[in-house]
Amino acid sequence: MKKKVVTRFAPSPTGYIHIGNVRSAIYPYLVARQAGGKFILRIEDTDRARYVEGATELIVETLKWLGLDWDEGPGVGGDNGPYFQTERTDIYYEWGKKLIASGRAYADTTPAEKIGEYREKAKAEGYPFLYRNYRPAETPEWEVGMPLRFKAEPKNYEYHDEVMGDLKMGEETQDDFILIKADGLPTYNFAHIIDDVTMDVTHVIRGQEYLPSMGNYLALYDALQIERPIFVHLPHILGPSGTKKLSKRDGAKSVTNYRDEGILPEAMLNFLACLGWNDGTEQEIFTKEDLIEKFRLDRIQRASARFDEQKLVWLNGQWIRKLFVENPEELHRRAHEFWDEYAKDTTDERKNIIMSIIYDRLKTLADLRGMTRYFFVDPEVDLDMLLQNKFLKKMSEEELQNLLQAAVKKLETVEDWTPENIRTALNELLIETKTKPPVLFSPIRIALSFAPFSPALPETMEVLSKEVVLARLNAVIRALSNER
Ligand code: GLU
């Protein structure tokens, strides 16, 4: 009988989840959902020196935001708990004792200085340091509080990795590594294997930084006589330069930073899933459902993918449009917190109208702040912006002033201030003034917004109100005449 697919995300609560590591959550999630299996969240908190208060909460928040729900783990429970490694020590002791009983583990009380000397000696003699060459002849009976070491019996191993292919691990990759530390907590090397087997994990999906340790892991599966899971080691994600691993320094922010900058979770999930994976077509926009359906482990690229924030921002713009078309209320709801201070007295209805004329220019929801200011406060008149405009450069200030005056006169006649009526008036004005559209519309647009761009004029004007439009045009006319 085929085993039920069980995958896990097993982060260590040592800080925020660096964006380069989130694929280690997304891919196992997709594999589990596609197979109708189970996705487990396990918190690997045994490294107390690197433990960061609040990091687990941040992990939970990140996964929830991305829509990666788990079937077992913190907040959910399950039959294979606890899901924090520090609460599972009895399980590790039990398995440690099995290894002692079969002669494959020993208590080691060798002082750290001594081990340091061995390391120095190996270095001086030009050998790679392997503790098994210095294994103590006599060892005490193990009890909690003493380091417990694996007893290596080096072999040549072969194994298959779904991404990296067929690999070999030679004898030199296996050593007497620590299973349980003096503080009574297991090492990652030991704990993850025990957890994976006791949680029936079928696929171990994680970063390639664990590849060099595979010799020790294979030896442990062997010594414990447990079946190996399917291995999936993900290539690194490279920084924007494409030459080195993405690090916090080149912008490996936390996922929640991006959320706060107005990236949609759908866009983030889409972007990260496609870093080093594609479905073999040109498709770029994938919903979570698409990903669950189309994801294939064998299409993960072996080469490292480059992190390109521009691509993320582009995708986010696509997602904002998609969401507006499919579910505008949802977009309004999410945009809520991104409006600036000056919008605080504006009704939701008016904000929604502004959103509906501006959404297709937004790359992030945070763009709302800079891009909609002129809807709420009169912009400062900046004549240079007007006079330097590429369509207006050849015009004199007098010509510009006349044009704006003609616009004021025309717009004053519009009784019912609707986009249709405004559009008609502007089109009549084009004919009457015998100008080309950019020459007429650019100065009006600039006078109303003094922003690098703004949505279609009639719609913008409607939202601003007739009174504000006329007042802003007149302010510019005045500024131009003061200038002359
Ligand atoms: N706790 C490990 C980490 O955060 C997880 C590795 C694994 O998935 O086994 O890197």
Side-chain angles (χ1 to χ4, degrees), residues 207-367:
Q208 70 170 37
E209 58 276 20
Y210 293 96
L211 281 175
S213 309
M214 280 301 288
N216 285 331
Y217 303 158
L218 295 171
L220 199 48
Y221 290 116
D222 213 6
L224 290 167
Q225 296 179 314
I226 53 184
E227 201 184 320
R228 297 175 187 174
I230 293 168
F231 297 111
V232 187
H233 285 96
L234 306 176
H236 291 314
I237 294 178
L238 301 177
S241 67
T243 51
K244 52 181 185 8
K245 205 174 136 182
L246 181 68
S247 71
K248 292 190 181 174
R249 214 178 333 130
D250 28 48
K253 296 183 257 191
S254 79
V255 176
T256 45
N257 279 148
Y258 286 99
R259 174 193 64 191
D260 300 342
E261 288 170 9
I263 296 289
L264 299 176
E266 291 89 344
M268 184 55 105
L269 185 73
N270 187 164
F271 171 74
L272 291 173
C274 295
L275 264 182
W277 175 86
N278 63 62
D279 72 343
T281 73
E282 297 290 301
Q283 185 173 343
E284 293 197 278
I285 309 293
F286 291 91
T287 62
K288 186 168 93 172
E289 289 65 35
D290 290 338
L291 290 169
I292 291 173
E293 185 193 326
K294 298 187 172 163
F295 185 72
R296 298 283 179 277
L297 286 173
D298 61 8
R299 290 206 57 89
I300 297 175
Q301 290 158 28
R302 202 176 286 181
S304 300
R306 192 172 65 88
F307 181 83
D308 177 1
E309 201 172 89
Q310 289 310 313
K311 178 80 193 274
L312 169 63
V313 169
W314 173 83
L315 254 184
N316 199 55
Q318 303 296 311
W319 267 100
I320 289 176
R321 272 167 244 193
K322 186 170 156 63
L323 194 56
F324 180 80
V325 172
E326 291 171 4
N327 191 351
E329 284 74 35
E330 178 61 17
L331 184 63
H332 296 324
R333 201 180 58 71
R334 298 210 206 159
H336 208 261
E337 63 186 284
F338 289 96
W339 291 96
D340 211 328
E341 262 297 283
Y342 26 76
K344 73 176 188 308
D345 297 326
T346 308
T347 61
D348 283 348
E349 195 190 347
R350 182 151 186 262
K351 283 184 197 155
N352 295 353
I353 295 173
I354 296 173
M355 176 63 112
S356 70
I357 62 176
I358 202 148
Y359 75 93
D360 60 347
R361 307 299 295 252
L362 297 177
K363 292 210 173 74
T364 71
L365 293 178
D367 285 346

Side-chain angles (χ1 to χ4, degrees), residues 8 10-12 44 188 192 205-206 210:
R8 78 326 189 253
S12 300
E44 303 204 326
Y188 164 77
H192 86 276
I205 306 176
R206 64 183 165 202
Y210 293 96

Side-chain angles (χ1 to χ4, degrees), residues 2-242:
K2 233 177 143 218
K3 279 201 278 185
K4 182 180 169 114
V5 168
V6 179
T7 63
R8 78 326 189 253
F9 176 48
S12 300
T14 52
Y16 65 75
I17 323 185
H18 160 324
I19 191 140
N21 294 337
V22 187
R23 284 185 319 173
S24 301
I26 297 175
Y27 292 168
Y29 174 84
L30 297 175
V31 167
R33 290 290 168 265
Q34 185 175 81
K38 223 167 36 173
F39 175 57
I40 298 179
L41 173 61
R42 177 171 83 219
I43 306 296
E44 303 204 326
D45 57 349
T46 57
D47 188 346
R48 301 316 280 175
R50 292 179 61 224
Y51 179 80
V52 172
E53 200 61 54
T56 303
E57 289 72 15
L58 205 56
I59 290 165
V60 163
E61 194 182 318
T62 302
L63 296 181
K64 283 191 174 159
W65 182 69
L66 286 170
L68 304 177
D69 52 302
W70 52 100
D71 305 297
E72 287 183 24
V76 177
D79 296 338
N80 301 298
Y83 297 93
F84 287 82
Q85 287 184 329
T86 47
E87 295 170 18
R88 297 173 62 80
T89 45
D90 288 345
I91 303 173
Y92 308 126
Y93 298 162
E94 192 189 309
W95 285 81
K97 283 176 189 157
K98 279 193 208 177
L99 284 170
I100 297 171
S102 62
R104 297 303 305 274
Y106 62 94
D108 183 22
T109 49
T110 309
E113 306 80 68
K114 197 85 202 150
I115 300 174
E117 278 171 30
Y118 296 153
R119 188 172 274 119
E120 285 305 311
K121 189 162 173 270
K123 201 170 150 198
E125 290 170 1
Y127 293 110
F129 174 69
L130 284 166
Y131 190 75
R132 60 175 151 87
N133 295 334
Y134 306 90
R135 187 182 289 160
E138 300 275 316
T139 58
E141 196 167 326
W142 181 75
E143 57 187 62
V144 177
M146 289 178 188
L148 183 70
R149 274 189 195 269
F150 183 61
K151 193 171 189 177
E153 287 176 8
K155 281 187 202 148
N156 287 311
Y157 285 109
E158 291 184 0
Y159 75 104
H160 181 74
D161 185 281
E162 294 297 307
V163 178
M164 304 295 174
D166 291 323
L167 300 171
K168 290 190 168 86
M169 291 315 273
E171 297 187 0
E172 73 290 351
T173 63
Q174 296 143 58
D175 199 8
D176 288 7
F177 60 98
I178 304 239
L179 302 168
I180 297 174
K181 298 172 286 175
D183 65 3
L185 290 170
T187 55
Y188 164 77
N189 294 339
F190 184 45
H192 86 276
I193 288 182
I194 303 308
D195 291 343
D196 286 342
V197 67
T198 53
M199 295 179 181
D200 300 318
V201 168
T202 54
H203 296 63
V204 167
I205 306 176
R206 64 183 165 202
Q208 70 170 37
E209 58 276 20
Y210 293 96
L211 281 175
S213 309
M214 280 301 288
N216 285 331
Y217 303 158
L218 295 171
L220 199 48
Y221 290 116
D222 213 6
L224 290 167
Q225 296 179 314
I226 53 184
E227 201 184 320
R228 297 175 187 174
I230 293 168
F231 297 111
V232 187
H233 285 96
L234 306 176
H236 291 314
I237 294 178
L238 301 177
S241 67

Side-chain angles (χ1 to χ4, degrees), residues 405-436:
Q405 249 150 7
V408 168
K409 251 175 111 190
K410 186 79 195 175
L411 291 166
E412 273 171 346
T413 67
V414 179
E415 294 277 327
D416 187 10
W417 195 249
T418 62
E420 296 71 42
N421 293 346
I422 299 169
R423 187 167 279 116
T424 308
L426 291 174
N427 285 337
E428 286 169 10
L429 192 61
L430 264 185
I431 298 167
E432 290 162 21
T433 56
K434 300 194 184 63
T435 45
K436 295 210 170 76

